[in-house]
Amino acid sequence: MFPRVKRGARSSFHPVIQTEPHSVLLLGVLALETRRSASALHIQQAFSSPNLTNNFVVDPVSGKVYLATVNTVYQLNGTLSVEVEKSTGPVEDNLLCHAPQLPQAPCEHPKSLTDNYNKLLKLDRDQGVVVVCGSVYQGFCELRRMGNISEIAVEFPPRGEKTVFPSMLNIAANHPNASTVGLIFKSHGGNTRLLVGATYTGAGTQFFPKNHSKEDLRFENTPEIAIRSLNTQDLSRLFTYDINPSEDNVFKIKQEVKTKNKLNFVHAFIQKTYSYIAFNNDAKMGHKESQPNSILARICLDSDSPRKSTGPESRKLTESYIQMPLQCGSNGNIYNRLLSVYPATVPAEGGRDPQPYLFGVFSKADAKSALCAFKFGDIEEEIRQGRRNCSNSPSSDVQVLDSVIQGSGAVCVQKGNLVLQPEQLDCGAAHLQHPLALRRPLRATPLFEYSSLSSVSVDSVHQHTVVFLGTSNGRLHKSNQVNHISVHFFSAEAVHHIMTFDPNNSNFLYVMTSHHMLRVKVAECDLWTSCTDCLGAGDAYCGWCTLENRCSIQNECARGLMPRSWISIGQGPQQCPSITLTPSEISISAKIEAVGILINGSIPDLIGSKVECEYKPGVSTVATVYGLSQIQTCPLLPRENYQPIPPGTDHLAVSQFLNNILFIDIKINLMEYKCTSYFWISLFKIYEKPLQLKKKKTYTLICGKKKKNLYIYIYIYIYIYIYIYIYIMFGLFGPLYYVYYFIKVHIPISVPSSSRLPLVEVYNCGAGSSDCSQCWGREDQGHLCGWCENSCRPRDDCQPITDVCPAPEINKISPLRGPVEGGTLLTVQGRNLGRRPSELKVSIGDVPCELLPERYTVSVELVCRTGRSEHDRTDSVRVEVDQSGMGMSKESFAYLVPSVHFIDPKNGSSAGGTRVTIHGKHLDIGSQVRVKVNKTQECTITEKTDQMIKCIMPPTLEVDSEPVTVCVEFEDHPCQEMELSEMYTYEKNPTISSIHPTKSFLSGGRTITVKGQGFNLVQSVIMHVLEIGQTVSDSTSTIICLSPESSQSQETSVQFILNGVRYTGDSPSFSDDRTVENDRENHKEHFQLGYVEDPQFFTANKEKQIKHHSGEPLTLIINKVPSELELVPEEYLVMIGSYPCNISFHNDQLFHCTINGQLSSSESELPVTVQVGNFRHMITKVQLGGSEMAIVVSIVVCCVLLLLCTVALVVYCTKSRRAERYWQKTLLQMEEMESQIRDEIRKGFAELQTDMTDLTKELNRSQGIPFLEYKQFVTRTFFPKMCSDYENSLVRHNYENDSLGPRALPETHPLLQDWQANNTTQPNVEEGITLFSTLLNNKHFLITFVHALEQQKDFAVRDRCSLASLLTIALHGKLEYYTSIMKDLLVDLIDASASKNPKLMLRRTESVVEKMLTNWMSICMFSYLKETVGEPFFLLLCAIKQQINKGSIDVLTGKARYTLNEEWLLRENIEAKPQNINVSFQGCGMDSLSVRVMNTDTICQVKEKIIEAFYKNLPFSQWPRAEDVDLEWFDSGSNSKLLQDLDNSSVMEDGRKKLNTVFHYQIPEGASLAMSMKDKKECTLERETKKSHRHSHRKKVLPEIYLTRLLSTKGTLQKFLDDLFLAILSIPPDRPPLAIKYFFDFLEEQADKRGITDPDTLHIWKTNSLPLRFWVNILKNPQFVFDIDKTDHMDACLSVIAQAFIDACSISDLQLGKDSPTNKLLYAKEIPEYKKRVQCYYKQIQEMPPLSEQEMNAHLAEESRKYRNEFNTHLALTEIYKYAKRYRNQVVNALEANPTARRTQLHHKFEQVIALVEDNIYECCSEA
């Protein structure tokens, strides 16, 4: 196990301690303790590209680098020099055009020059080609020649080839921002194949051209993943993925779920015999940031050996495909986007075999990133367990990937005790040939976290793992166990996510940035000069090369592969070489012939090598080596070969070297020479061949008038590079001068402390001795110099000698001021300032100044510390020198008392960075000034003067609102006085809540407003946009920044630097923890800023020139292309030349700008430019024309117009007087009518609201609304005509002798009754029906059966609807299957309609599938209808009935005073007064009720109102009828009178009897009435006519005047109608309409497949499917939902409401006029608002999360389960069989014509059904 380590002081990484076993292993590998800060990465070679780089690949044999950039490919050599360059773009292209290589593929769209972005670059050495794929021509690929990439190796498609398909050309992604990955491999048959993964860029994605109705040309041609043929010998199959019929080599997402599977590929690589593809699903980004979106997929390649065949077929791609999510992080801190992967084998602990790992860099939304590692062993085990679970124990952890085409129809099912073989566990089994997806992610804990990581590469070196990490800001980090270093490449150039080691030399890493290709050396070992430093640096690549005595990479050490010749960091510094010499000193008289040498540490075995000890050039002895202990003896030279020991000395130094390590250190005394020179080279060498080069260098020495040449010989040995030490002595007519040269061939690394270079001190008395004290001061250094004749000379040359020097001179003192407390370091400069510190005494006046000996420079400079003064004063500085006198300074030193007056500002943020100014007096005195905050922290001083100090405040260490002291300290004296301190308050940090807008255009310069709090504390703001740049803002109170320029559209993160401190989102301190948590969420560190394309502007007609006459106002209409920028008028600047154009109108599509002044210019044309931020674009030009002719024409026209106006005015004045009188009269009438209508509406609404409030209070939500049961709802909806007939024939009211009153409605429909076979039914009938049911559950049979019946001319619309409803009943228990059948039939219907007029589809119900859709909607919407819409719908019905009953109702015609339908409007003014009566119902068991009636009501109408009052909470089927009850009136005399519509008191009028009314009987207010059931049924009134026979002598009134009553009724009912429409057109969060979302998505998918992009068509389809097919049917037929009485009058009112709903769903504008029907005019004002609701409803449905097939099937299964066994399915099957029998021959022929049906013998099974049931059909009593 690796030890825990701490983060190094210089490292910016944040290591994370691991908890998982395999993560702990890597923790030690990647721990980041930094021992050395030196950089150890070096850019060896670099290539700069003018264009953006895309991809690169390295040839492992030749070392050539192939680099692909935008529009260019390069062939570089190993040193990154260009060998070949080839241009690939730009080319003429259009995203909507096929590749021009496709024969006979013309394009009708205009082409333009398009940049060619390289999408794929792969090397195939076996065939000698480079695969180069670009973004142009729909992702076309070329095969270029290796060695000369400018040549095409294989021309494809071949010239003249006509059999070329788009799938062979459309290979890579065709958009610059879409991803493509690939790899080349050989199958077991030897064929070369190309695996490609490409992002889908078709219709519906952000890559496809917007607002375009053309179909996507790549839709059917480019799958997401494909294995293609790359055999250049078979060009007919080149790039095809249908390699042979038995293999399925495509992985293609279904079109309907492509929006939920936006694959962004990262990398494809091979591990063992598997191909791994890493990608992200970008469709999930933003939904759940805490969920992983990174996926690793695996495919078996069959690249190793032939697979054991279990059948005739080979393995399919989708059979072996399996994917799993990758999760980096946990507990809400999940990095959910994969950026880069690298597979590597890393050392295992305990000496075990190395383990393969997958390293990955992940990021999350806030731009933070992390490195995670996944063990391949865990990946393989998860895959095996997943396949095991899918076959033996299906669970939620694995599922069939139903989003791909090959994933349809299969599920993980238990196969009993099936045991899968290892081959099947790894690569799939034949019984489940579908791609699988593991749902549980493979988790890993981040090894460390860092911002802006972009790539990863890993190497294993000497049992150490080294990780290289690239960043998006141009850095490359290298990390190993104890070291972390980085190198900065190019600012703002992101490192590409792929980094590759040089295949020929792994010590070099190829790195690609945005515009550079780099070859980086992984280590610069020669930065360390000693063995200890080299091995202690912790760089796994570096070690000590013992023979060369330097730090190097192993393969750069000449004998690095020899044992013990290269020491790695694992061996440790203790193995560094060191030597011991015996003896180290030799007596001149001793007879010692050799010196013993013991070498410690690790060096190679020297036995067999020639070892010499060299004393000087040409003088050496041969050393003797003894064994591995590295003991050597070195023979000494004969005595006569040594120089004589100079006189006056006692020894001579001889230098010897062993491998550059000096091991003798003896003092040497040199004698004087006159104009002589000599030199020697001392070294000890080890070599194999005595091969040497000798160079001669000549130096000329001038000795007076003589010239003498000095020759220096430098020996350089080939095998061993050494150090050359050259000692030269020469003299020039005087004292002896010594010069020491040191020539460095290679950097020295280590010199043991016991061995030192023999140092020779060379001095010249005259050099550096400018005065007497300086000359005599050298005596302490052993220099024998003296002062004479005003110069410094050797003492031997000075006669006489005097050691007394002149008095000191002071030239300068610094500083000139200091505090009275003293402590100032005073510097004094001058001459003769003493020989040594002990002779000196310094004072300021009488105040002593303490001398600092360590800072004393002989004679010229001294430094002393001033003493304390009692008061402020000014005095000279005095220096006294023993025996020399005293010197005084000309400048004076002042003791001052500083003071602080105030500080500005007095408060700042807790994060620090606030720039404060301290004002005071004498603030810059002394040698050291510091500003202390709270006595512990220091304020960084930036500027200092006498009266002011500017400094930057530090962050506070304590979170406290109490003020702190800011004190100025002088000379390390603690601040004790109040005069030097001020109070400063740390306040809560500014908080940033959001930025607006969140989108910017690429050109930048858009104003970004920052919102937050505490900006009064902000002094400076820098907005930093990651990966783009930064801008500085001068505003503080309101932070406004300008967005920087970006090169491409992207989502970026924004950070802010406030007062020089990076804003981290820290929230202010609150007392409430919950508030703190909420605040942290609101104030985040990073803010999202999206870059989109620059806005586009053009004039209304796209004119290139606009003519304008001077002096006239000019208004320009400028259109703009829709974008996400949401620009406001203040952001536009429109200029016409130099004149600004004012914006007068603005909306989403265009804006107007106007110039009212006169345009004048010397030029005839002025450009019109639109500027937004930094974006500036000229859209047109204004051509200025002459105005003279315009003025003349204007005058003439004005005169003519003036004459005409005069004539017109006379005529107008005459007629206007007449019209005004008529208008005033009409206006008066209208005002009177309006007042009446207003009063009537107000009164009616108030009364209706009161009644409806009472009704709502009394309404029991569970029982009061008479909902029909589900089975009755279904039968009434499916069989509306049939149910009506059954109820009329079977429902019999039988209340004559029933004292208990009404009874419940019986089960009337046969489909609701149990099936009972009669006695005549043969036993095989039921068997035949069962077999027929099985056939109907076969999709091929059922679809063929339906199509066969619909093709028959006598199969009427009623038959089609009946068949559809019967099929719905029969398949009600399997709604999932029913839905799939309906979808298949709808696809056929859409195909038929799309070729004609797609807008007419689903408008009527003329086919089986249209009725099936109606039934499906009814089933799926029943719960929603009952729970959400039922109550407002029922309240509207009650309100309509209440409002109708408010006025008079013609009992014969049904027309009423209050209605919504003009045809049912009572166009007479009949005064009706309401009155209340008290009614008791005998035998009902209820108390008497007060019932409100009208005095114009007939007795029958009164009975109906009384029955409704007593039975309002019961279903209508349980109400008695009016003709079944009697009504009696008890007058005040207790006399009763039976009330009837006709009796003897009835009045005759026009020969007819009038019906009796309440007014006729003179029933008073509050009268008591009794109702009872009749003993026998009486006949009701025979209504002979529907016309009202009223007196013709009544005052005739214009009938249209009563149309205002429609408005009155409408206004009264408006609230209830709005509530109903709101319930229908809204989405409750707790009950979302899943079926509607599912079906609308299906329609959008079908439209996309057929290239139907017209939004109107899709709107019509949705409207015909839901509002017109379901809701209008319900609105017109409330009896389908409720057990109520729907009168003809109510039906007419509902028709008006339904028409309004239809108009609201229509996309066409209503063209209404005076002749338009009132039914449309009535709600014309509300229709636009309703249309907005419909559009909003459709949009909300579209924005709902997509519904998967599994979720919808689960919903349908639940619906089937709830209503199981509700219907007689046998009867339904029997009725369906009747149609089958009727069209038997046609069905059989259709089945035989269908290949699938014929293969499965469906026609024989159908004949078997006929044979079983023939002539024994169950005779049903119904026509169902």
Side-chain angles (χ1 to χ4, degrees), residues 1244-1428:
F1245 183 75
E1247 292 177 353
L1248 182 61
Q1249 282 292 98
T1250 303
D1251 294 343
M1252 291 304 298
T1253 302
D1254 296 340
L1255 174 66
T1256 306
K1257 290 179 180 179
E1258 297 174 4
L1259 199 63
N1260 188 319
R1261 288 293 182 269
S1262 60
Q1263 299 178 358
I1265 299 179
F1267 284 109
L1268 290 175
E1269 294 183 7
Y1270 174 76
K1271 54 186 178 183
Q1272 294 170 340
F1273 166 77
V1274 166
T1275 52
R1276 293 190 182 201
T1277 308
F1278 291 5
F1279 309 97
K1281 181 65 170 63
M1282 201 172 299
C1283 288
S1284 177
D1285 295 341
Y1286 278 124
E1287 290 178 8
N1288 291 335
S1289 61
L1290 297 181
V1291 177
R1292 294 291 181 266
H1293 292 279
N1294 190 15
Y1295 301 126
E1296 293 86 350
N1297 301 313
D1298 193 349
S1299 61
L1300 298 177
R1303 298 174 299 191
L1305 181 70
E1307 299 266 353
T1308 59
H1309 201 285
L1311 290 174
L1312 303 179
Q1313 301 172 2
D1314 294 335
W1315 182 68
Q1316 299 292 337
N1318 55 31
N1319 296 331
T1320 62
T1321 302
Q1322 296 182 3
N1324 56 357
V1325 171
E1326 186 171 356
E1327 181 183 354
I1329 294 300
T1330 303
L1331 180 59
F1332 186 58
S1333 174
T1334 304
L1335 278 179
L1336 291 180
N1337 280 276
N1338 185 294
K1339 180 181 290 190
H1340 295 290
F1341 173 82
L1342 185 52
I1343 293 177
T1344 306
F1345 176 71
V1346 171
H1347 284 325
L1349 266 60
E1350 286 189 319
Q1351 292 173 1
Q1352 310 310 313
K1353 294 181 179 181
D1354 58 342
F1355 194 65
V1357 173
R1358 181 173 182 179
D1359 293 328
R1360 299 178 186 212
C1361 295
S1362 176
L1363 176 62
S1365 297
L1366 291 170
L1367 285 173
T1368 309
I1369 296 297
L1371 300 177
H1372 191 279
K1374 297 180 180 179
L1375 285 179
E1376 310 99 300
Y1377 172 69
Y1378 175 83
T1379 304
S1380 67
I1381 294 295
M1382 181 190 71
K1383 287 173 59 178
D1384 290 344
L1385 293 174
L1386 277 173
V1387 169
D1388 297 338
L1389 180 64
I1390 294 172
D1391 290 336
S1393 302
S1395 59
K1396 300 175 183 177
N1397 189 350
K1399 293 184 178 181
L1400 299 179
M1401 191 187 72
L1402 300 176
R1403 176 166 292 187
R1404 299 180 179 85
T1405 304
E1406 297 178 347
S1407 63
V1408 174
V1409 67
E1410 288 173 308
K1411 179 60 177 174
M1412 290 176 68
L1413 176 59
T1414 303
N1415 298 342
W1416 186 81
M1417 284 287 182
S1418 301
I1419 294 172
C1420 295
M1421 295 297 291
F1422 175 74
S1423 298
Y1424 183 80
L1425 171 63
K1426 186 174 181 180
E1427 297 171 3
T1428 304

Side-chain angles (χ1 to χ4, degrees), residues 1641-1713:
D1641 285 353
F1642 168 75
L1643 292 179
E1644 292 175 358
E1645 171 197 344
Q1646 297 302 317
D1648 289 342
K1649 283 185 176 180
R1650 289 153 184 81
I1652 300 175
T1653 58
D1654 182 14
D1656 292 350
T1657 301
L1658 204 55
H1659 182 98
I1660 292 173
W1661 286 7
K1662 295 178 180 179
T1663 299
N1664 292 344
S1665 303
L1666 177 64
L1668 302 189
R1669 187 164 298 277
F1670 176 71
W1671 287 120
V1672 171
N1673 191 29
I1674 296 299
L1675 291 177
K1676 287 186 175 182
N1677 299 282
Q1679 74 278 11
F1680 288 175
V1681 184
F1682 309 111
D1683 190 351
I1684 62 171
D1685 178 28
K1686 186 189 76 168
T1687 63
D1688 294 340
H1689 194 163
M1690 180 178 288
D1691 182 69
C1693 294
L1694 292 175
S1695 297
V1696 176
I1697 293 175
Q1699 183 61 49
F1701 188 73
I1702 293 172
D1703 294 340
C1705 297
S1706 173
I1707 58 172
S1708 59
D1709 295 331
L1710 294 177
Q1711 301 297 330
L1712 301 177

Side-chain angles (χ1 to χ4, degrees), residues 588 616 637-646 651-654 668-671 673 678-680 729:
I588 194 66
K616 56 184 177 181
L637 293 175
R639 183 178 304 172
E640 57 271 15
N641 288 1
Y642 290 104
Q643 297 182 47
I645 296 177
H651 65 273
L652 174 71
V654 180
I668 181 169
N669 292 335
L670 300 176
M671 56 188 299
Y673 288 89
Y678 101 150
F679 70 95
W680 70 86
M729 294 186 302

Side-chain angles (χ1 to χ4, degrees), residues 1495-1525:
N1495 64 349
T1496 58
D1497 286 345
T1498 64
I1499 302 303
C1500 184
Q1501 291 175 332
V1502 173
K1503 290 181 181 180
E1504 291 175 349
K1505 291 183 178 180
I1506 294 173
I1507 292 173
E1508 182 180 0
F1510 277 93
Y1511 289 92
K1512 60 185 177 183
N1513 282 334
L1514 291 177
F1516 175 72
S1517 59
Q1518 301 181 25
W1519 292 13
R1521 294 182 296 178
E1523 55 265 32
D1524 296 332
V1525 296

Side-chain angles (χ1 to χ4, degrees), residues 57-64 66 75 83-84 122-131 143-153:
V57 65
V58 184
D59 186 350
V61 177
S62 66
K64 296 182 186 296
Y66 298 94
Q75 177 181 311
E83 292 183 345
V84 181
K122 292 296 173 183
L123 198 65
D124 184 3
R125 282 203 57 83
D126 294 339
Q127 300 188 103
V129 297
V130 181
V131 182
L143 299 180
R144 295 191 170 271
R145 189 179 309 281
M146 282 181 55
N148 187 355
I149 201 169
S150 64
E151 297 181 1
I152 297 294

Side-chain angles (χ1 to χ4, degrees), residues 537-557:
D539 193 330
Y541 286 98
C542 295
W544 187 254
C545 183
T546 56
L547 294 183
E548 299 178 24
N549 202 22
R550 66 190 183 96
C551 189
S552 71
I553 298 175
Q554 185 173 14
N555 62 2
E556 293 180 356
C557 183

Side-chain angles (χ1 to χ4, degrees), residues 123 254 352 608 736 1092 1179 1384 1475 1580 1645:
L123 198 65
K254 297 177 183 176
R352 294 180 298 173
L736 184 64
V1092 300
I1179 58 175
D1384 290 344
Q1475 64 182 67
T1580 59
E1645 171 197 344

Side-chain angles (χ1 to χ4, degrees), residues 570-641:
Q571 295 174 262
Q574 62 272 15
Q575 293 296 323
C576 288
S578 62
I579 57 178
T580 303
L581 181 67
T582 305
S584 60
E585 295 182 355
I586 304 173
S587 174
I588 194 66
S589 60
K591 296 182 180 180
I592 299 177
E593 297 180 352
V595 177
I597 304 171
L598 175 62
I599 303 178
N600 304 312
S602 177
I603 64 170
D605 187 3
L606 299 179
I607 296 179
S609 299
K610 184 177 180 181
V611 181
E612 290 185 356
C613 297
E614 184 171 311
Y615 297 89
K616 56 184 177 181
V619 180
S620 63
T621 60
V622 178
T624 305
V625 181
Y626 300 96
L628 294 177
S629 60
Q630 307 301 332
I631 299 176
Q632 308 175 28
T633 59
C634 188
L636 296 176
L637 293 175
R639 183 178 304 172
E640 57 271 15
N641 288 1

